[in-house]
């Protein structure tokens, strides 16, 4: 029988579109002793997590809690509770994750109209307006940041269309919440969800979720039952709501970790955090362009937490990513679907979004590209990024591995 | 704004039907650095988890992996993938968790025949035989241990009925796998699932799952699509199988924890672990009976990992459980549904199943009952348990807080 030793993964620098690096304080929270899911002390911790999640989403929504699954579980919770056979939904499909949202919407038996865009561009809200004409639209589902291309959809424009057609606005903020400006109540989003392992920098396994009163009313008026028991909000909210009626056992240790991650978000301040993500993404973009590489997405539509850069002609995608991992311990992501081999995707999310990581990646990439035989202006990427930082000085940016409290 | 401090839960002695106490080595595994979900090092860790999960279930099933959710997510994965409209399923309903399985089965659109039993008794397999007569049965779903009453259903008898009627045998082993004898291949179970936080003693958040070739064939022949994307085995197995195609991000840290918990199972040895659970449950039962309390379930049908004891007349359920928690830091569970206020449920699972915990609980319960005005033969519970242990000596039982490796 093959012996299996102690788990001993390397400590990578995670510059993918998630998971992001996890701060030491969050790891420490994982060590808090597991409680029973109805222990009064655990119920108080659930209260805290709900308060902190509301602050992170900038919402007063009662129905705010972490779904017991990864980001896609949040997505499925939204679709499976809001849609039923006979409904019509408009879904933005700007890439792989829009496709996923449309797939989940279709599985509910609803009619789904996919609003597609060219890879690297956001979906034109006018498309939604035209598709909605003469139809009763139950919801418009919008991927805020399309992680597969790095394009950002315009929530405010889609909200306007939603209000014109009277539907709900459902927003997949898996790759943006905590990293890109997002205010659920002020932007009148009816439903919004994210993942614990992206800009919130906890380990993967929870999907913070919020739904407003209009969404609650829609769920209350369903004609058919929800096909999923695990994701049935009516029951889940009896556990997370006042009643505290047992539904399923919450992932206790992960709830501790999310609580600590949300405390870190609050200590940094949401606006400071958004600004940190913006500044680092901008320095990275400036650096990559100075190295002669083109970005996939035009400046006004970049999502900032994920940057898609075109792989220079003649460069072996897998070889460069392999070298980054083996020589520099850095993971970045490749393209998905038709963008496979054509782009790299660099995530700068949560604790991974630091000046140190930007400068190191540009330097490491320079070495990798030189070894692939690409001609580059020496040091140009790092120099341009340094200059970008000089123009937008870094205040209180968390160093990798340094707890935010020490800032 | 209400300040929210560091998470600081008390270290309880968890004697509920889950979550169980977590061993220090498992907590330590949670601290291993988070990797990307497609990192070659993480893929090797996934391989290990699959190997260890197969050994725990005693199966060669290819389709063996942990579902990214709590035990109920494993249950939903089974029902949602195997059943579709037009199918007929027989489901044992010996209590609350049988009801849950039946509820999930109904949500698939299948016809569900509930095989009910009186609280505290297992379901009579003859009932299944009669219900199956003249019907095409897609599956028989059996709750191995009904956690709400402490009754154990007879898997071998249900397997025989399943073979007579040609369906699949689906077993909910959430509260038994790792604690009660269970061998998936030898007992010819087609599908079996459990929860990480029960007899495996990891934190809650994963549902180890296995399905054999007959179940795979049934899934392959579905006429309708699976309504859930998150739990769709066809896609999940492209990630956990040879292809390693991204489906959703696995709960990385929890996978580390489960891996360590399964390593501990292997180090102890499955049969030694089953024997430890049996011995401690037996000592507890002997002690409770010596204190004059009756058990809900007759000896041959007791599930051993959860013991249901009748609350003596005149005793305030909530007061005693509150005192156990406040004065002794021990959590036990109350009854569910019609058994509320009538029974206590004591879980002795995984790291919580120790001689120390049995003796301490009996002593603490004696004090609580005396304070409730109940007359008891002094010290009788502890004395009877001590005697039971003397007759069945303890070999290498893990002490609470002592890593199994130190044994």
């Amino acid at each position: 029988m093959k012996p299996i030793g102690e788990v001993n993964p390397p400590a990578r620098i995670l510059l993918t579109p998630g998971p992001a690096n996890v701060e030491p304080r969050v790891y420490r929270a994982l060590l808090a002793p597991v409680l029973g899911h109805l222990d009064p002390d655990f119920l108080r911790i659930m209260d805290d997590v709900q308060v902190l999640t509301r602050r992170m989403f900038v919402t007063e929504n009662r129905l705010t809690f972490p779904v017991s699954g990864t980001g896609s579980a949040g997505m499925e919770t939204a679709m499976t509770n809001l849609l039923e056979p006979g409904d019509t939904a408009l879904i933005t499909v700007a890439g792989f994750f829009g496709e996923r949202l449309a797939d989940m919407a279709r599985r509910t038996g609803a009619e789904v109209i996919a609003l597609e865009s060219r890879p690297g561009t956001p979906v034109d809200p006018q498309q939604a307006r035209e598709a909605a004409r003469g139809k009763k639209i139950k919801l418009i589902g919008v991927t805020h940041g399309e992680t597969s291309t790095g394009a950002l959809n315009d929530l405010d424009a889609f909200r306007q269309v939603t209000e014109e057609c009277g539907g709900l606005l459902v927003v997949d903020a898996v790759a943006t919440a905590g990293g890109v400006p997002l205010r659920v109540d002020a932007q009148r989003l009816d439903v919004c969800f994210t993942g614990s392992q992206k800009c919130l920098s906890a380990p993967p396994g929870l999907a913070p979720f919020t739904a407003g009163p209009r969404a609650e009313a829609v769920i209350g008026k369903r004609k058919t039952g929800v096909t999923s028991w695990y994701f049935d909000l009516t029951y889940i909210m009896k556990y997370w709501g006042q009643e505290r009626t047992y539904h399923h056992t919450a992932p206790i240790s992960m709830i501790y970790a999310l609580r600590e991650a949300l405390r870190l978000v609050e200590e940094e301040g949401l606006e400071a955090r958004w600004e940190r993500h913006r500044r680092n993404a901008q320095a990275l973009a400036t650096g990559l362009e100075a190295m002669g590489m083109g970005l996939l997405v035009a400046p006004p539509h970049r999502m900032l937490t994920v940057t898609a850069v075109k792989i220079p002609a003649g460069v072996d995608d897998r070889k460069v990513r392999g070298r980054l991992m083996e020589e520099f311990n850095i993971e970045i992501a490749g393209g998905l679907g038709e963008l496979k081999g054509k782009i790299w995707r660099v995530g700068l999310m949560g604790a991974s979004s630091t000046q140190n990581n930007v400068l190191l990646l540009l330097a490491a990439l320079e070495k990798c590209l030189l070894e692939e035989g690409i001609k580059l202006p020496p040091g140009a990427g790092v120099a341009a990024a340094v200059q970008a930082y000089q123009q937008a000085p870094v205040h209180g940016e968390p160093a990798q591995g340094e707890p935010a409290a020490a800032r």
Side-chain angles (χ1 to χ4, degrees), chain A:
Chain A
M1 222 164 56
K2 179 191 158 202
I4 292 180
E6 198 175 357
V7 70
N8 192 25
R12 301 260 192 244
I13 298 170
L14 298 176
L15 303 184
T16 64
N21 283 122
V22 173
E23 295 217 47
R25 270 176 55 186
V26 174
Y27 280 121
R28 208 165 68 204
L30 282 170
L31 290 199
V34 166
L35 287 176
H37 48 276
L38 294 171
D39 189 310
D41 278 275
F42 185 65
L43 301 183
R44 277 190 286 276
I45 288 168
M46 289 167 67
D47 285 339
D48 294 343
V49 168
Q50 289 184 288
V51 167
L52 291 166
T53 305
R54 286 190 191 105
R55 291 180 191 164
M56 183 272 294
F57 277 133
V58 200
T59 182
E60 303 283 327
N61 287 342
R62 180 191 82 93
L63 205 163
T64 303
F65 74 104
V67 174
S68 303
T70 46
S72 302
M75 208 186 264
E76 184 150 318
T77 300
M79 293 299 114
T80 203
N81 281 277
L82 295 171
L83 293 176
E84 54 187 323
D87 289 340
T88 303
L90 304 180
I91 307 284
T92 62
V93 179
F96 188 84
F97 292 91
E99 291 279 13
R100 174 174 300 185
L101 193 59
D103 181 347
M104 289 183 185
R106 273 185 212 105
R107 286 175 191 240
T108 67
E111 189 201 340
V112 172
I113 302 174
L115 311 169
E116 297 183 359
S117 69
R118 272 184 305 111
T121 66
V123 173
D124 181 1
Q126 186 57 28
Q127 252 194 86
R129 193 167 277 119
E130 281 157 24
R133 206 158 283 158
K135 285 204 157 66
K136 193 169 170 348
I137 302 299
K138 184 76 161 285
L139 64 83
I140 302 188
V142 180
T143 315
H144 188 200
E146 173 51 61
T147 314
S148 67
T149 68
L152 194 75
N153 280 311
D154 181 349
L155 296 186
D156 294 327
F158 280 101
R159 186 199 60 227
Q160 212 174 318
V161 183
T162 316
E163 286 178 358
E164 287 163 20
C165 71
L168 297 174
L169 181 57
V170 178
V171 173
D172 169 356
V174 169
T176 55
V180 174
L182 181 83
R183 290 181 179 90
V184 166
D185 285 2
Q187 293 183 281
R188 299 200 292 283
L189 317 183
D190 293 297
V191 172
C192 189
F193 50 85
T194 187
S196 52
Q197 82 278 22
K198 307 276 182 170
C199 302
L200 303 179
S201 257
L206 287 172
F209 185 98
T210 188
R214 275 163 32 94
E216 283 202 58
V218 162
I219 294 168
K221 279 185 214 146
R222 284 182 67 101
K223 290 185 200 78
T224 62
V226 172
T227 53
S228 173
W229 180 94
Y230 193 69
F231 296 127
D232 190 333
L233 281 174
T234 310
Y235 291 93
I236 295 175
M237 280 315 289
K238 285 189 183 150
Y239 178 51
W240 283 91
Q242 292 304 311
E243 303 94 324
R244 298 299 189 200
T245 309
Y246 166 58
H247 181 254
H248 66 266
T249 307
I252 313 278
S253 305
M254 279 300 306
I255 298 278
Y256 297 161
L258 177 64
R259 185 178 175 287
E260 191 63 14
L262 290 169
R263 268 176 20 98
L264 285 164
V265 170
E266 186 160 286
E267 283 175 27
E268 180 173 10
L270 258 183
E271 293 187 10
R273 196 175 177 93
W274 295 338
E275 171 58 19
R276 168 164 65 88
H277 281 81
R278 194 197 60 71
R279 194 176 53 243
N280 287 319
Q282 202 141 12
L284 174 69
T286 308
L288 292 169
E289 285 172 339
M291 289 166 76
M293 285 187 275
L295 298 204
L296 182 68
V297 181
H301 305 305
R302 289 180 191 160
M303 66 187 276
L304 301 178
T305 51
V306 178
T307 297
V309 57
K310 294 179 201 161
I311 301 175
V315 169
D316 183 333
D317 170 21
R318 294 177 68 90
K319 220 162 119 193
V320 169
R321 284 195 287 131
R323 187 183 288 269
L324 278 174
M325 189 175 271
E326 279 148 41
E327 191 172 333
F328 299 93
N329 209 23
I330 295 173
E331 190 184 4
I332 66 169
L336 294 170
E338 61 175 301
L339 291 170
K340 200 168 176 167
K342 295 188 180 156
I343 59 166
W344 289 314
R345 294 177 302 139
V346 180
L348 293 172
M349 295 173 153
S352 294
S353 171
T354 67
Q355 180 174 264
N356 282 11
N357 283 344
V358 169
L359 297 178
L360 178 62
L361 175 66
L362 290 169
L365 207 51
E366 175 163 336
K367 183 158 185 283
C368 293
L369 290 175
L370 287 173
E371 274 157 11
E372 281 284 290
I374 298 292
K375 285 197 178 62
L376 291 168
V382 167
V386 164
Q387 207 174 17
Y389 281 121
Q390 277 187 309
Q391 284 159 10
V394 177
H395 297 295
E397 172 163 317
Q400 193 91 45
E402 179 194 324
R407 273 175 247 156

